[in-house]
Amino acid sequence: VSTQSTGTTGSKELDKLLGGGIETGSITEIFGEFRTGKTQLCQVVAQVDGASAMFNADPKKPVGGNIMAHASTTRLYLRKGRGENRICKIYDSPCLPESEAVFSIGNDGIGDSKD
């Protein structure tokens, strides 16, 4: 049973993929080409979490440059779908299975896919 808390992304499907949302107290690496939602996702998480966990670093862990990837718990790959839809794939995670979810980016932020 995990005691780790999570922050919602704004999309039920994306939260389901991530086991409830973005894990707090850990580093989640998000990568992909331009206009796939990386910045929007980071802004949502920062607002929901109040940025407290994001900027409350463990001083014993190395951070910066290529070292940051070594400290990542989960790696997410984002790619474009049709229209405003985006696809998130769990690329690497010690606790989540490799899988995908479709979400949407609109004027109201991140939400569920609009078919």
Side-chain angles (χ1 to χ4, degrees):
V1 177
S2 175
T3 59
Q4 198 68 15
S5 62
T6 57
T8 185
T9 62
S11 165
K12 291 177 187 172
E13 286 301 310
L14 191 52
D15 286 347
K16 183 178 165 184
L17 174 75
L18 299 173
I22 299 286
E23 185 179 354
T24 60
S26 66
I27 297 173
T28 300
E29 179 184 357
I30 303 168
F31 66 100
E33 62 182 287
F34 67 97
R35 293 188 47 84
T36 55
K38 300 179 298 290
T39 301
Q40 290 88 340
L41 191 54
C42 289
Q43 289 173 340
V44 167
V45 172
Q47 288 175 354
V48 169
D49 189 35
S52 62
M54 186 182 300
F55 298 108
N56 190 8
D58 181 346
K60 296 180 288 299
K61 285 189 177 180
V63 292
N66 62 355
I67 308 288
M68 185 70 91
H70 298 296
S72 297
T73 301
T74 300
R75 299 182 71 207
L76 305 176
Y77 171 61
L78 302 184
R79 68 181 192 272
K80 296 174 188 173
R82 292 179 184 246
E84 298 302 317
N85 288 344
R86 303 295 184 262
I87 300 146
C88 177
K89 177 181 180 181
I90 296 178
Y91 189 81
D92 185 32
S93 176
C95 56
L96 298 170
E98 188 175 302
S99 190
E100 293 184 348
V102 179
F103 66 99
S104 179
I105 299 175
N107 291 334
D108 54 345
I110 294 176
D112 288 318
S113 170
K114 297 173 183 161
D115 294 328

